[in-house]
Amino acid sequence: MKSAEIRESFLDFFKERQHTIVPSSSLMPDSPGLLFTNAGMNQFVPIFLNEQPCPFETYRAANTQKCIRAGGKHNDLEDVGLDTYHHTYFEMLGNWSFGEYFKKEAIEWAWELLIEEWKFPKNRLYATVYKPGKRDPAEFDQEAYDIWKGLFKKAGLDPEIHIVYGNKKDNFWMMGETGPCGPCSEIHMDLTPKGDTKGKLVNADSPLCMEIWNLVFIQFNADEGGGFSDLPFRHVDTGMGFERVCAIMQGSKGFKDFTKPISNYNTDVFSPLFKEVSKLCKKKYKATLPSGRPEELNADMTNDVAMRVIVDHIRALTFSIADGILPSNEGRGYVLRRILRRAVRYGRQLGIKELFLYKLVPVITEQLGFVFPELKRNGAAITRVIKGEEESFTKTLDRGIELFNQHVEKNKRFLKAAQMTATSDTPIQIEFPGDVAFELYDTYGFPLDLTELMARENNMTVDIQKFEKLMDEQRQRSKDAQKKSVIKVKDSDEQHINTDFVGFDLKTGVNVEVCNFFIDEPEEKGGTVTARLYITPTPFYGEMGGQVGDTGILEFGGEAIEIIDTLKSSPDSTALITEQVGLLEEISFPLKASVNLDRRKRIESHHSATHILHWALREVLGNTVSQKGSYVGPDRLRFDFSHPEAMTEKEIKKVEKLVIERVEHDAGVQWYELPYKEAKKDNSIMQFFGDKYGDTVRVVDIGGFSKELCGGTHVSSTLDIGCFRLISESAIAAGVRRIEAVCGDAINDHLKPVFVKQNEEVAQLLKKSPKARITLDEPNLKPEVSWDLHLKNRSAIEKLKADIHKLEKKHAKAQEARMQKEAAHLAEEWTKEADTSGPIPFLIKHAKGGDGKFLQITLGELKNHFEGVVVLAGDSNNKVALAASVSKKFTKQIKAGDIIKEIAPHVGGKGGGRPELAQGGGTEPNGIALALKSAKTLLNKI
């Protein structure tokens, strides 16, 4: 029988016996004492405790339950891959009676299903019954014994052989120290080739005798004094290992051949996953099992262990995330993160260098989506979360493994000598240092159990005591230096909060369903306290792809919180920034989110105009033009593009004319989603500058002439853009030009301060014109009128451009002077904090809010105060800047370019430079702490 048939047969069997077939409960348990749902009975505990009435008309139920045992009391994580039957995730088939039938029906139906329906060989089956020891509770389970005795006798088998006694440990179930409890009866199967062990392997922890079904009879109530009284209602709670039953039926070829080991993994439950993993690593799964010490395993054994771990772990990850349990740094989220990182590391052991785990998700959703619809419903989100986690860990995985191997290499000679004197009975192990294990955890994200696993593979143990000591010290440092308080409206993991964006077509406010907020206190006293809010659904667009973030308000109970910015914190999440932290704890529902629509409309005008400008530049300058960057705000647009030389006045006029014609043509602006594979084949869709796209992309189509992949917001018609005017064209780098332009009402912001106030000559020209209808103090300058007059007076336009340039130059100089002053102050303060304990003095700092230019100025100032190595990181506009300098006398030991190359990947970027000076950058501000930590580790090794 196939696995799907086995599951269906079980449920149909009990449905025919008036059981209600109930869905599996979530892996997120209701009980606060559980990390994960780990048994089928978890969802029925309130019924057993008489806290709620039984909702089933026949007082009977059956189902298949998703279970995870990978943390807390029930933890099978360490055994996965090393044998044939341990899993982190598994299914449990079960049937329940809530005060209805009891032992007779439960035992007889179990026998009927196994023997008559599924044709299990009865001579291989053994039943256990409870027989108390001297200090064990309750009495011998005579009732269960008598029922089993009758069944075995009728089958022509000796009950004295096929009924095995078990003590409290094996055959008495308790929910806790007190409460419902009772004896249980397990069904075991002899898997030896001949099947004639006569029960000697039952409960002997042998893979040749497997427990397949546990029948629990809940009939007592345990009190605090250790006594037992009868429950008013007696219940039945059974659990059958789905994967184990599949293994026995399929592995024995329908009970015909027991010569080969029975393995859960050698079934159609896992075969589709093995097939996909084999494609990825180009190695075949050979179903071998470990023998001997880890270092003695051959290549096939090592590969097969890795494959079993991967196919097991991806199931646990997929089902957990489908139920809303996300990888994080605490609780069940951390268990998932450990599981994922173990799987990634085993993938690397198989030679898989690229991201691969997320590619296995569709195999599971296709295979089991009909049983567990949440898999298909959340398939895209599951893939996205796993890919993001995998990508994050992969960045540091190789460096962590290298550090581990370096330490093992140092001890290689001693290891070799030790192993030569060791025997199979007395293997010698070397202790892996706890401080290195801590560094792997703290810097490279290796969970301790992963380091222990790698150590075992090298015949080593880990100094846990030292590791824990360093962990305690770190916790204390963190507590002492805590500068962030976290307040949650709803308990979530900030890194993975999904804020469903509904703001592409806004007309009114949006009603918020979920709100989380986190307060950030400033490092310096007296600084501004801000908070990040995560709401869903959200109409606020987070700064991304050149488009600035939205502003607006959150309204509730007569109060309003002003949102001053919106930032993208992950692919699926945006953070709203506010300074009104005093109101956050008063947030109540209904909660309404409203974007500043006037500001958004200006942004959308500039964004759609940017696309048209891109098209016009390619029309005038040719298809070699490609986008190199952009800024889209309420005040203006900036478009950087590749072009080898300055545009002529004629080309500038032609581009501006083309854009104006298209804007005034009243073309519709549409968007639609496509699979990226399809979009990639469409030559009419522009895709530039090495952007990374997801599986599904958004195409913005303006009038059929401009098509680009874009996730931003846009106008619905080009007429909404209003007046378009090009302000400037200039060079920003070799082969890269920049155009700045303004649209609609934003033109007023440029004309009033720059043209009217700074250019008296042109102001007077407009004032005298009969068409202008304005005065010098006119509050609402009419852009169409003023720009039309400009076009008739080219000298006025040139003067306007010159004035804008002067104003910007003046602003830039003032900004640079401010940066110089701040850099000088920081250089003086930071020098006092330099680490001078090693052979090379060094200073590592995070210049919050600083860009690349500020870092360069700060390095220049530090030269006057400090000699050694300086590593700086800054974050501005959601981008990261890195800079490093090394005094000339130390460049033989370490080079600035090597430092930047080492740390830049932590922030999703790259860089390099000369031995004395280097710089780099990235797009992931969350990686700054890890980048600077990596720099410190590198310098400490010198």
Side-chain angles (χ1 to χ4, degrees), residues 244 381 509 749 779 811:
R244 293 186 178 189
D749 299 332
H811 175 74

Side-chain angles (χ1 to χ4, degrees), residues 616-840:
L617 285 166
R618 289 168 66 84
E619 289 289 307
V620 174
L621 302 179
N623 289 339
T624 56
V625 167
S626 64
Q627 183 176 343
K628 295 297 180 184
S630 67
Y631 165 84
V632 179
D635 55 332
R636 61 189 163 87
L637 70 86
R638 185 188 73 226
F639 188 76
D640 300 338
F641 60 98
S642 58
H643 191 58
E645 57 191 4
M647 293 175 64
T648 65
E649 186 68 23
K650 184 177 180 181
E651 288 171 335
I652 293 172
K653 287 180 181 178
K654 190 171 181 180
V655 166
E656 187 177 54
K657 184 172 182 290
L658 277 175
V659 176
I660 292 172
E661 286 175 353
R662 291 293 177 172
V663 167
E664 294 176 350
H665 184 64
D666 189 16
V669 180
Q670 299 177 324
W671 69 270
Y672 53 90
E673 290 186 345
L674 275 181
Y676 179 54
K677 289 181 179 178
E678 291 183 26
K680 198 174 181 181
K681 297 175 184 176
D682 190 339
N683 294 328
S684 68
I685 302 173
M686 286 194 282
Q687 308 164 45
F688 291 107
F689 51 88
D691 275 4
K692 293 181 180 178
Y693 300 107
D695 294 335
T696 303
V697 293
R698 185 170 179 264
V699 181
V700 175
D701 181 347
I702 302 180
F705 64 87
S706 168
K707 290 183 182 179
E708 292 191 41
L709 299 186
C710 179
T713 62
H714 290 268
V715 297
S716 57
S717 166
T718 55
L719 283 179
D720 296 332
I721 294 173
C723 186
F724 173 89
R725 294 298 180 262
L726 198 150
I727 295 175
S728 67
E729 190 273 349
S730 60
I732 60 168
V736 181
R737 310 294 299 177
R738 170 172 292 175
I739 281 181
E740 292 193 295
V742 285
C743 299
D745 293 342
I747 291 177
N748 290 347
D749 299 332
H750 284 267
L751 288 176
K752 285 169 71 174
V754 179
F755 172 63
V756 177
K757 294 180 181 178
Q758 299 292 330
N759 195 327
E760 190 66 28
E761 177 186 342
V762 183
Q764 291 302 321
L765 174 67
L766 286 177
K767 192 174 182 180
K768 292 174 184 177
S769 169
K771 295 182 180 179
R773 306 192 311 276
I774 65 169
T775 66
L776 192 60
D777 298 321
E778 176 70 33
N780 292 306
L781 197 64
K782 303 296 180 183
E784 291 80 2
V785 174
S786 58
W787 277 102
D788 285 343
L789 288 172
H790 281 17
L791 291 172
K792 294 173 184 177
N793 188 334
R794 298 308 300 179
S795 63
I797 294 174
E798 294 306 317
K799 187 79 168 77
L800 175 62
K801 289 180 179 179
D803 284 340
I804 292 174
H805 181 67
K806 285 179 183 177
L807 194 66
E808 289 179 341
K809 196 171 181 181
K810 182 180 178 182
H811 175 74
K813 282 186 176 181
Q815 178 71 6
E816 189 169 336
R818 284 195 295 270
M819 285 196 290
Q820 196 83 38
K821 185 177 179 181
E822 184 180 355
H825 170 72
L826 288 176
E828 188 175 347
E829 292 297 316
W830 284 352
T831 303
K832 302 172 186 176
E833 302 175 28
D835 189 329
T836 58
S837 59
I840 302 178

